[in-house]
Amino acid sequence: MIKEIEKQTGAAFKLKKGQKLKVIDPKGEQVSDMVLFNAEDTREKISSGKTLDFEESILITKGNFLWSNRGRKMMHILEDTNGRNDFLLAPCSPETFQIMYNNPEYHPSCFENLYTNLKPFGIEPDDVPTAFNIFMNVQFQPDGKLSVDPPLSKAGDYVLFEAQMDLLVALTACSAEDSNGGSFKPIHYELVE
Amino acid sequence: MIKEIEKQTGAAFKLKKGQKLKVIDPKGEQVSDMVLFNAEDTREKISSGKTLDFEESILITKGNFLWSNRGRKMMHILEDTNGRNDFLLAPCSPETFQIMYNNPEYHPSCFENLYTNLKPFGIEPDDVPTAFNIFMNVQFQPDGKLSVDPPLSKAGDYVLFEAQMDLLVALTACSAEDSNGGSFKPIHYELVE
């Protein structure tokens, strides 16, 4: 059964080892930030540093694993119809809009949508790690300069993950204008046995 | 007064806001992993994701700031005579040597040297974030592939940081063969008022 994450919101749920998670961009050009925790001990969580290190690549897609801060495999990426994801940049947060967008007003953010959905599982805001940013199109130049470009994902593109341990998962439909081609859309996800 | 971190070891110490820290490669081709915590509340710590996001670059050097998971400035880089540092890869750990080096034996690691030196300050191993890897020469290709090359640093090269808040700092002399041109050397550091 496909579930919908409404625009600028999030969700959190458990996933058993061996279960598969399909994250779908139903309308195209929409990012979904994902964080992972070991369901049995949430001090173990997804790590960008460990993943880029062990996968020896900035770009993480089909065939790659997502690793934890304890150097263990959390997810295997079985399929990726779009092929572009980001694992460099932190989830958009209130400071993102204050500092990068020069917007002092309240603005929904992936960080808020992650920690509010994770709160019932005992996760504090400070415990939210750098997310795996599905469909996010961050381009890098040889001099290291980064730009956040509109996602390349088309309606129906998806990434299929297989859990390598029992997991607590949080997902968002990203709230940052620049990351999503200027408009906010939902994200769909499905748990597949 | 210059202090020495012996090869394959580490150190931890406090730094007051406005104080400067000079990290020196005394012999050349030696990496030093650095992690930072807010001295008043160690749940706030250095964040690769926030730093790459707010500095809009993979390569962090003179003029850049190091940011926390709460989106606040922790350090300003005032000088960098070498100019190449890494903020992508996690500190070398027991799993690094098991998985990347296929070495099942005990091997000293930056991760161990960080958490053992941070233990007296109440920091647990799971709390150690991705480090700012001073002098580490990680090259990236347009397709995202990463390689760990010998450091470009020469004897006497240094990076000078200015604390933007009261900090708890941990530093290592890195223990990974590939990161240090195949030999292990000390790191020097100096607190400058």
Side-chain angles (χ1 to χ4, degrees), chain B residues 26-131:
Chain B
K27 298 193 171 177
E29 293 198 13
Q30 178 59 44
V31 167
S32 176
D33 280 14
M34 180 172 77
V35 292
L36 307 172
F37 298 84
N38 174 345
E40 307 305 320
D41 181 352
T42 58
R43 294 173 302 178
E44 181 170 13
K45 53 189 159 185
I46 189 170
S47 166
S48 170
K50 280 289 183 203
T51 301
L52 272 49
D53 199 351
F54 290 173
E55 298 299 320
E56 299 180 90
S57 181
I58 291 175
L59 297 174
I60 301 298
T61 181
K62 180 177 173 175
N64 291 123
F65 290 90
L66 303 178
W67 294 77
S68 79
N69 58 329
R70 293 184 189 163
R72 300 200 308 152
K73 292 173 180 172
M74 301 192 94
M75 287 280 214
H76 188 199
I77 304 180
L78 301 181
E79 299 179 41
D80 183 351
T81 64
N82 172 51
R84 189 83 190 193
N85 310 290
D86 171 68
F87 211 177
L88 298 176
L89 304 189
C92 63
S93 69
E95 303 81 36
T96 306
F97 298 101
Q98 291 158 19
I99 294 168
M100 304 293 285
Y101 288 76
N102 199 24
N103 173 8
E105 306 292 319
Y106 172 78
H107 194 294
S109 67
C110 283
F111 183 67
E112 180 184 2
N113 287 324
L114 291 169
Y115 79 72
T116 53
N117 281 283
L118 287 164
K119 196 175 179 183
F121 299 95
I123 308 291
E124 299 287 329
D126 284 328
D127 299 329
V128 174
T130 294

Side-chain angles (χ1 to χ4, degrees), chain B residues 17-32:
Chain B
K17 180 178 176 176
Q19 264 191 321
K20 296 181 187 74
L21 169 67
K22 192 174 184 177
V23 180
I24 306 153
D25 180 355
K27 298 193 171 177
E29 293 198 13
Q30 178 59 44
V31 167
S32 176

Side-chain angles (χ1 to χ4, degrees), chain A residues 26-42:
Chain A
K27 299 194 172 178
E29 294 197 13
Q30 177 60 44
V31 168
S32 176
D33 280 14
M34 179 174 76
V35 293
L36 307 171
F37 298 84
N38 175 345
E40 308 304 320
D41 180 353
T42 58

Side-chain angles (χ1 to χ4, degrees), chain A residues 41 43-45 47-50 52-59 67 69-72 84 88-93 95-96 99-100 111 124-128 130 140-148, chain B residues 41 43-45 47-50 52-59 67 69-72 84 88-93 95-96 99-100 111 124-128 130 140-148:
Chain A
D41 180 353
R43 293 172 303 177
E44 181 170 13
K45 53 187 158 184
S47 166
S48 170
K50 281 289 183 204
L52 272 49
D53 199 349
F54 290 173
E55 298 298 319
E56 298 181 270
S57 181
I58 291 175
L59 296 175
W67 295 77
N69 58 329
R70 293 183 189 164
R72 300 200 307 152
R84 189 83 189 193
L88 298 176
L89 304 189
C92 64
S93 69
E95 303 81 35
T96 306
I99 295 168
M100 304 293 285
F111 182 68
E124 298 287 328
D126 284 328
D127 298 329
V128 174
T130 294
F140 47 90
Q141 303 306 320
D143 67 356
K145 291 288 171 264
L146 295 170
S147 60
V148 178
Chain B
D41 181 352
R43 294 173 302 178
E44 181 170 13
K45 53 189 159 185
S47 166
S48 170
K50 280 289 183 203
L52 272 49
D53 199 351
F54 290 173
E55 298 299 320
E56 299 180 90
S57 181
I58 291 175
L59 297 174
W67 294 77
N69 58 329
R70 293 184 189 163
R72 300 200 308 152
R84 189 83 190 193
L88 298 176
L89 304 189
C92 63
S93 69
E95 303 81 36
T96 306
I99 294 168
M100 304 293 285
F111 183 67
E124 299 287 329
D126 284 328
D127 299 329
V128 174
T130 294
F140 47 89
Q141 303 306 320
D143 67 357
K145 292 287 170 266
L146 295 170
S147 61
V148 177

